[in-house]
Amino acid sequence: MAATDVARQVGEGCRTVPLAGHVGFDSLPDQLVNKSVSQGFCFNILCVGETGLGKSTLMDTLFNTKFEGEPATHTQPGVQLRSNTYDLQESNVGLKLTIVSTVGFGDQINKEDSYKPIVEFIDAQFEAYLQEELKIRRVLHTYHDSRIHVCLYFIAPTGHSLKSLDLVTMKKLDSKVNIIPIIAKADAISKSELTKFKIKITSELVSNGVQIYQFPTDDESVAEINGTMNAHLPFAVIGSTEELKIGNKMMRARQYPWGTVQVENEAHCDFVKLREMLIRVNMEDLREQTHTRHYELYRRCKLEEMGFKDTDPDSKPFSLQETYEAKRNEFLGELQKKEEEMRQMFVQRVKEKEAELKEAEKELHEKFDRLKKLHQDEKKKLEDKKKSLDDEVNAFKQRKTAAELLQSQGSQAGGSQTLKRDKEKKNFF
């Protein structure tokens, strides 16, 4: 309906207001784009591979940035994951990029459990996001999503076959993250060997049931290029941060005595293909696959472990409230049962302790009686000995008195005889 017709219907005297621009809901995509650009994006890359395969160099080459980081040694006692987050800006689009690298992967003699720290790290990011979702007050719009969106698995350029460590690790990770296998340092083998190596890797992945990430072909706008790139997996890449002058242009390349390898020359390596597929074409699909496939699988398994389910045994819808009440009642029942078991165990232990104390008390009384009797016997012996000693002392005193008496009498008799002899002498003279 034209604006003049509207003015004619409401009256000739009404003022008409011209439209400032186009009106319609077809501007909704523009609104979404503007909102997304203002909020920014996040992308998390996990680099898995042995030490020395050029993981850090490839990341620097991929984003044309010198990221911070220290070179890892081959002396790590175990596998450690090192995470670094960077804020990148391109035009008016901001990207919070997180690069997680496996330090010490493949350096141990026993590599049996090398994949476990990687699996635990990925699950920890899923768990953190799940806990944020389960909060009463969620702030998902400002929450830093640390879930891994893509795993670049670096394969050593042996030219023969995949190592057992590679197969085991990728098999453990394929249900948790989008895996893109890449052949690192592809300039170490010839083109013919590289072609055979790619075929060998693909056949081994299929025969061992390893599910790698396939570029989506359901979108008509990217179906052709993604279908073509799926046939080039795994990508053979070369990284370099050095720029060399080739012709009249400065290009990133690697200089060797036998020639120069250009990183962005598709005849030399698949670096450009990897960059196109990872950043320009399928970055959003990787983010979506992480949320709708891998995270949903983790979330479902975690909730099922907690006892939550969608339907009851009769295949009727089962609400979250009913599940919570059922689990709460079950938990309270188990808690009451454990409390009763602990109470009975406590009573039993108290009885056992009382019996032990009574037995100990009985032993103490018996020991006391024995000691008391022994004390009495010793006391009686001492009294008898004291009595005998007293008798001996009394007898000794009596003998001493008699001896003193006899001695005194003897001394008196001797004195009288002396006087008599003196008197007789006197009368004689």
Side-chain angles (χ1 to χ4, degrees):
M1 184 179 293
T4 54
D5 297 335
V6 175
R8 191 178 297 110
Q9 288 183 3
V10 298
E12 295 296 336
C14 294
R15 182 172 61 91
T16 60
V17 179
L19 296 176
H22 176 72
V23 177
F25 57 82
D26 57 351
S27 63
L28 183 58
D30 298 331
Q31 299 176 32
L32 293 176
V33 169
N34 294 333
K35 185 176 181 180
S36 299
V37 169
S38 63
Q39 291 179 350
F41 301 89
C42 71
F43 193 62
N44 307 319
I45 302 176
L46 171 64
C47 298
V48 180
E50 299 178 12
T51 306
L53 288 181
K55 300 186 291 294
S56 300
T57 303
L58 182 64
M59 290 298 102
D60 294 344
T61 310
L62 198 61
F63 292 94
N64 196 21
T65 305
K66 181 61 178 177
F67 295 117
E68 299 176 359
E70 299 178 356
T73 62
H74 293 272
T75 59
Q76 298 293 332
V79 180
Q80 300 177 355
L81 278 84
R82 184 181 298 167
S83 177
N84 294 298
T85 302
Y86 310 95
D87 291 322
L88 305 181
Q89 187 77 22
E90 188 174 27
S91 299
N92 63 332
V93 179
L95 178 67
K96 186 180 289 292
L97 177 67
T98 300
I99 299 176
V100 183
S101 181
T102 54
V103 180
F105 182 79
D107 290 337
Q108 295 74 36
I109 296 176
N110 184 5
K111 304 178 179 63
E112 182 179 359
D113 298 331
S114 296
Y115 67 88
K116 288 186 178 180
I118 305 174
V119 173
E120 292 172 357
F121 179 85
I122 295 174
D123 287 343
Q125 313 316 310
F126 285 154
E127 182 65 24
Y129 193 86
L130 178 61
Q131 292 300 325
E132 185 65 26
E133 272 193 335
L134 295 178
K135 286 182 179 179
I136 297 177
R137 295 182 178 180
R138 301 182 299 178
V139 287
L140 293 176
H141 61 284
T142 59
Y143 174 76
H144 178 216
D145 187 3
S146 60
R147 296 174 297 176
I148 301 299
H149 298 126
V150 62
C151 169
L152 297 180
Y153 196 94
F154 288 69
I155 301 172
T158 60
H160 300 291
S161 61
L162 287 173
K163 299 179 181 179
S164 300
L165 175 64
D166 299 330
L167 289 172
V168 171
T169 304
M170 281 193 278
K171 184 61 179 175
K172 295 293 183 180
L173 296 179
D174 62 357
S175 62
K176 298 179 178 294
V177 67
N178 303 310
I179 300 177
I180 298 180
I182 58 178
I183 302 173
K185 296 185 176 181
D187 52 345
I189 54 178
S190 63
K191 280 193 173 183
S192 59
E193 291 177 341
L194 184 60
T195 303
K196 295 178 182 178
F197 192 33
K198 284 189 175 185
I199 297 173
K200 184 68 174 178
I201 291 174
T202 304
S203 63
E204 287 185 347
L205 292 177
V206 173
S207 61
N208 287 276
V210 179
Q211 300 292 327
I212 64 174
Y213 175 74
Q214 295 291 323
F215 303 119
T217 57
D218 51 355
D219 187 355
E220 295 181 357
S221 61
V222 294
E224 183 178 355
I225 184 174
N226 281 346
T228 304
M229 292 302 172
N230 282 328
H232 284 83
L233 288 173
F235 292 133
V237 297
I238 303 169
S240 176
T241 56
E242 298 179 2
E243 291 189 352
L244 301 176
K245 188 174 183 180
I246 301 174
N248 296 326
K249 295 182 179 180
M250 297 297 293
M251 297 183 179
R252 285 180 292 182
R254 301 186 73 90
Q255 183 72 47
Y256 294 100
W258 45 262
T260 304
V261 178
Q262 300 175 24
V263 173
E264 296 180 279
N265 189 338
E266 295 190 45
H268 293 179
C269 69
D270 297 330
F271 173 80
V272 175
K273 297 182 178 66
L274 174 64
R275 184 178 61 186
E276 290 290 302
M277 291 296 98
L278 185 65
I279 299 177
R280 189 180 69 85
V281 180
N282 297 302
M283 179 181 284
E284 181 57 30
D285 184 74
L286 288 166
R287 288 157 42 89
E288 183 181 353
Q289 286 291 322
T290 299
H291 182 77
T292 60
R293 180 187 170 193
H294 302 294
Y295 171 70
E296 284 300 320
L297 178 61
Y298 176 85
R299 175 179 173 275
R300 184 183 67 191
C301 294
K302 199 70 175 180
L303 293 179
E304 287 177 352
E305 288 178 4
M306 297 168 62
F308 293 97
K309 50 188 177 181
D310 295 329
T311 58
D312 59 10
D314 298 331
S315 298
K316 295 181 180 179
F318 211 60
S319 67
L320 185 63
Q321 180 67 25
E322 292 175 351
T323 304
Y324 169 76
E325 292 294 337
K327 292 300 294 182
R328 183 173 182 274
N329 295 333
E330 181 182 354
F331 173 75
L332 292 177
E334 291 180 357
L335 184 63
Q336 186 175 2
K337 183 179 178 181
K338 289 183 179 180
E339 184 179 355
E340 182 64 23
E341 291 177 355
M342 293 181 64
R343 188 184 67 80
Q344 293 178 359
M345 186 182 298
F346 177 76
V347 172
Q348 182 66 23
R349 289 187 177 180
V350 168
K351 290 181 179 179
E352 293 176 357
K353 197 65 177 179
E354 288 179 351
E356 292 178 0
L357 291 174
K358 287 181 179 180
E359 187 67 23
E361 185 180 4
K362 183 179 178 181
E363 292 178 358
L364 286 174
H365 280 300
E366 292 177 353
K367 187 176 181 179
F368 175 75
D369 293 338
R370 288 196 303 269
L371 293 175
K372 186 177 180 181
K373 185 178 179 181
L374 181 63
H375 175 70
Q376 290 176 353
D377 294 341
E378 292 289 336
K379 185 177 180 182
K380 186 177 180 181
K381 289 181 181 179
L382 290 173
E383 289 177 352
D384 294 341
K385 194 172 183 179
K386 181 181 178 183
K387 185 177 180 181
S388 64
L389 288 173
D390 289 341
D391 293 341
E392 290 179 1
V393 169
N394 292 330
F396 175 76
K397 287 181 178 180
Q398 290 177 2
R399 289 194 300 270
K400 181 179 179 183
T401 304
E404 290 177 350
L405 181 62
L406 289 175
Q407 186 178 5
S408 62
Q409 289 178 357
S411 62
Q412 289 178 1
S416 61
Q417 289 180 358
T418 303
L419 290 175
K420 187 177 179 179
R421 283 195 300 270
D422 292 338
K423 189 175 180 180
E424 287 178 354
K425 284 182 180 182
K426 191 176 182 182
N427 291 333
F428 177 77
F429 291 107

Coordinates of all heavy atoms in Angstrom, one line a residue, residues 99-132:
I99 N 45.5 -21.4 22.2 CA 46.3 -22.4 21.7 C 46.8 -23.3 22.8 O 47.4 -22.8 23.7 CB 47.5 -21.9 20.9 CG1 47.0 -21.0 19.7 CG2 48.4 -23.0 20.4 CD1 48.1 -20.3 18.9
V100 N 46.4 -24.6 22.7 CA 46.8 -25.6 23.7 C 47.8 -26.5 23.1 O 47.5 -27.1 22.1 CB 45.6 -26.3 24.3 CG1 46.0 -27.3 25.4 CG2 44.6 -25.3 24.8
S101 N 49.0 -26.6 23.7 CA 50.0 -27.5 23.1 C 50.4 -28.6 24.1 O 50.3 -28.4 25.3 CB 51.3 -26.7 22.8 OG 52.3 -27.5 22.3
T102 N 50.7 -29.8 23.6 CA 51.0 -30.9 24.4 C 52.5 -31.0 24.6 O 53.3 -31.2 23.6 CB 50.5 -32.2 23.8 OG1 51.0 -32.3 22.4 CG2 49.0 -32.3 23.8
V103 N 53.0 -30.7 25.8 CA 54.5 -30.7 26.1 C 54.9 -32.0 26.5 O 54.3 -32.6 27.5 CB 54.8 -29.6 27.1 CG1 56.3 -29.6 27.4 CG2 54.3 -28.2 26.6
G104 N 55.9 -32.6 25.9 CA 56.4 -33.9 26.3 C 55.7 -35.1 25.7 O 56.0 -36.2 26.1
F105 N 54.8 -34.9 24.8 CA 54.0 -36.0 24.2 C 55.0 -36.8 23.3 O 55.6 -36.3 22.4 CB 52.9 -35.4 23.3 CG 52.0 -36.5 22.7 CD1 51.0 -37.1 23.4 CD2 52.2 -36.8 21.4 CE1 50.2 -38.0 22.9 CE2 51.4 -37.8 20.8 CZ 50.4 -38.4 21.5
G106 N 55.0 -38.1 23.6 CA 55.8 -39.1 22.9 C 57.3 -39.1 23.3 O 58.1 -39.8 22.6
D107 N 57.6 -38.4 24.4 CA 59.0 -38.4 24.8 C 59.4 -39.5 25.8 O 60.5 -39.7 26.1 CB 59.4 -37.1 25.4 CG 59.5 -36.0 24.3 OD1 59.7 -36.3 23.1 OD2 59.3 -34.8 24.6
Q108 N 58.3 -40.1 26.4 CA 58.6 -41.1 27.5 C 58.8 -42.5 26.9 O 58.4 -42.8 25.7 CB 57.4 -41.2 28.4 CG 57.1 -39.9 29.2 CD 56.5 -38.8 28.4 OE1 55.7 -39.1 27.5 NE2 56.9 -37.6 28.6
I109 N 59.5 -43.3 27.6 CA 59.8 -44.7 27.2 C 58.5 -45.5 27.2 O 58.2 -46.2 26.2 CB 60.8 -45.4 28.1 CG1 62.2 -44.6 28.0 CG2 61.0 -46.8 27.7 CD1 63.2 -45.2 28.9
N110 N 57.7 -45.3 28.2 CA 56.4 -46.0 28.3 C 55.3 -45.0 27.9 O 55.0 -44.0 28.6 CB 56.1 -46.5 29.7 CG 54.8 -47.2 29.9 OD1 54.1 -47.5 28.9 ND2 54.4 -47.6 31.1
K111 N 54.8 -45.1 26.7 CA 53.8 -44.2 26.1 C 52.4 -44.7 26.3 O 51.5 -44.1 25.6 CB 54.1 -43.9 24.7 CG 55.6 -43.4 24.4 CD 55.8 -43.3 22.9 CE 57.2 -42.8 22.6 NZ 58.2 -43.7 23.0
E112 N 52.2 -45.6 27.2 CA 50.8 -46.3 27.2 C 49.8 -45.3 27.7 O 48.7 -45.3 27.1 CB 50.9 -47.4 28.2 CG 49.6 -48.2 28.4 CD 49.7 -49.3 29.3 OE1 50.8 -49.6 29.9 OE2 48.7 -50.1 29.5
D113 N 50.1 -44.4 28.6 CA 49.1 -43.5 29.1 C 49.3 -42.0 28.7 O 48.9 -41.1 29.3 CB 49.1 -43.5 30.7 CG 48.8 -44.9 31.2 OD1 48.0 -45.6 30.6 OD2 49.2 -45.2 32.3
S114 N 50.0 -41.8 27.5 CA 50.2 -40.5 27.1 C 49.0 -39.7 26.7 O 49.0 -38.5 26.8 CB 51.2 -40.5 25.9 OG 52.4 -41.1 26.2
Y115 N 47.9 -40.4 26.3 CA 46.7 -39.8 25.9 C 45.8 -39.3 27.0 O 45.0 -38.4 26.9 CB 45.9 -40.7 25.0 CG 45.3 -41.9 25.7 CD1 44.1 -41.8 26.4 CD2 46.0 -43.1 25.8 CE1 43.6 -42.9 27.1 CE2 45.5 -44.2 26.5 CZ 44.3 -44.1 27.1 OH 43.8 -45.1 27.8
K116 N 46.1 -39.9 28.2 CA 45.2 -39.6 29.4 C 45.1 -38.1 29.8 O 44.1 -37.5 30.0 CB 45.5 -40.5 30.5 CG 45.1 -41.9 30.4 CD 45.4 -42.7 31.6 CE 45.0 -44.2 31.4 NZ 45.2 -45.0 32.6
P117 N 46.3 -37.4 29.9 CA 46.2 -36.0 30.2 C 45.5 -35.2 29.2 O 44.8 -34.2 29.6 CB 47.7 -35.6 30.3 CG 48.4 -36.8 30.6 CD 47.7 -37.9 29.9
I118 N 45.5 -35.6 27.9 CA 44.8 -34.8 26.9 C 43.3 -35.0 27.0 O 42.5 -34.1 27.0 CB 45.3 -35.3 25.5 CG1 46.8 -35.1 25.4 CG2 44.6 -34.5 24.4 CD1 47.4 -35.7 24.1
V119 N 42.9 -36.3 27.2 CA 41.4 -36.6 27.4 C 40.9 -35.9 28.7 O 39.8 -35.3 28.7 CB 41.2 -38.1 27.5 CG1 39.8 -38.4 27.9 CG2 41.6 -38.8 26.2
E120 N 41.7 -35.9 29.7 CA 41.3 -35.2 31.0 C 41.1 -33.7 30.8 O 40.2 -33.1 31.3 CB 42.3 -35.6 32.1 CG 42.2 -37.0 32.5 CD 43.4 -37.4 33.5 OE1 44.2 -36.4 33.8 OE2 43.4 -38.5 34.0
F121 N 42.0 -33.1 30.0 CA 42.0 -31.7 29.8 C 40.7 -31.3 29.0 O 40.0 -30.4 29.4 CB 43.2 -31.2 29.0 CG 43.2 -29.8 28.7 CD1 43.7 -28.8 29.7 CD2 42.8 -29.3 27.5 CE1 43.7 -27.5 29.4 CE2 42.8 -27.9 27.2 CZ 43.2 -27.0 28.2
I122 N 40.4 -32.1 27.9 CA 39.2 -31.8 27.1 C 37.9 -32.0 28.0 O 37.0 -31.2 28.0 CB 39.2 -32.7 25.9 CG1 40.4 -32.4 25.0 CG2 37.9 -32.6 25.1 CD1 40.5 -33.4 23.8
D123 N 37.9 -33.1 28.8 CA 36.7 -33.3 29.7 C 36.6 -32.2 30.7 O 35.5 -31.8 31.1 CB 36.9 -34.6 30.4 CG 36.6 -35.8 29.4 OD1 36.0 -35.5 28.3 OD2 37.0 -36.9 29.7
A124 N 37.7 -31.7 31.2 CA 37.7 -30.6 32.2 C 37.0 -29.3 31.6 O 36.3 -28.6 32.3 CB 39.1 -30.3 32.7
Q125 N 37.3 -29.0 30.3 CA 36.7 -27.9 29.7 C 35.2 -28.1 29.5 O 34.4 -27.2 29.7 CB 37.4 -27.6 28.3 CG 38.9 -27.6 28.4 CD 39.5 -26.8 29.5 OE1 39.1 -25.7 29.8 NE2 40.4 -27.5 30.2
F126 N 34.8 -29.3 29.1 CA 33.4 -29.6 29.0 C 32.7 -29.5 30.4 O 31.6 -29.0 30.5 CB 33.2 -31.0 28.5 CG 33.4 -31.2 27.0 CD1 33.8 -32.4 26.4 CD2 33.3 -30.1 26.1 CE1 34.1 -32.5 25.1 CE2 33.5 -30.2 24.8 CZ 33.9 -31.4 24.2
E127 N 33.4 -30.0 31.4 CA 32.8 -30.0 32.8 C 32.6 -28.5 33.2 O 31.6 -28.2 33.9 CB 33.7 -30.8 33.7 CG 33.2 -30.8 35.1 CD 31.9 -31.6 35.2 OE1 31.6 -32.4 34.4 OE2 31.1 -31.4 36.2
A128 N 33.6 -27.7 32.9 CA 33.5 -26.3 33.4 C 32.3 -25.6 32.7 O 31.5 -24.8 33.3 CB 34.8 -25.5 33.0
Y129 N 32.1 -25.9 31.4 CA 31.0 -25.3 30.7 C 29.6 -25.8 31.2 O 28.6 -25.1 31.3 CB 31.1 -25.6 29.2 CG 30.1 -24.8 28.3 CD1 30.5 -23.5 27.9 CD2 28.9 -25.3 28.0 CE1 29.6 -22.7 27.1 CE2 28.0 -24.5 27.2 CZ 28.4 -23.2 26.7 OH 27.5 -22.5 26.0
L130 N 29.6 -27.2 31.5 CA 28.4 -27.8 32.0 C 28.0 -27.2 33.4 O 26.8 -26.9 33.7 CB 28.6 -29.3 32.1 CG 27.4 -30.1 32.7 CD1 26.1 -29.9 31.9 CD2 27.7 -31.5 32.9
Q131 N 29.0 -27.0 34.2 CA 28.8 -26.4 35.6 C 28.2 -24.9 35.4 O 27.4 -24.5 36.2 CB 30.0 -26.4 36.4 CG 30.5 -27.8 36.8 CD 29.5 -28.5 37.7 OE1 28.8 -27.9 38.5 NE2 29.4 -29.8 37.5
E132 N 28.7 -24.2 34.4 CA 28.2 -22.9 34.2 C 26.8 -22.9 33.7 O 25.9 -22.1 34.1 CB 29.1 -22.2 33.2 CG 28.7 -20.7 32.9 CD 28.9 -19.8 34.1 OE1 29.8 -20.2 35.0 OE2 28.2 -18.8 34.3

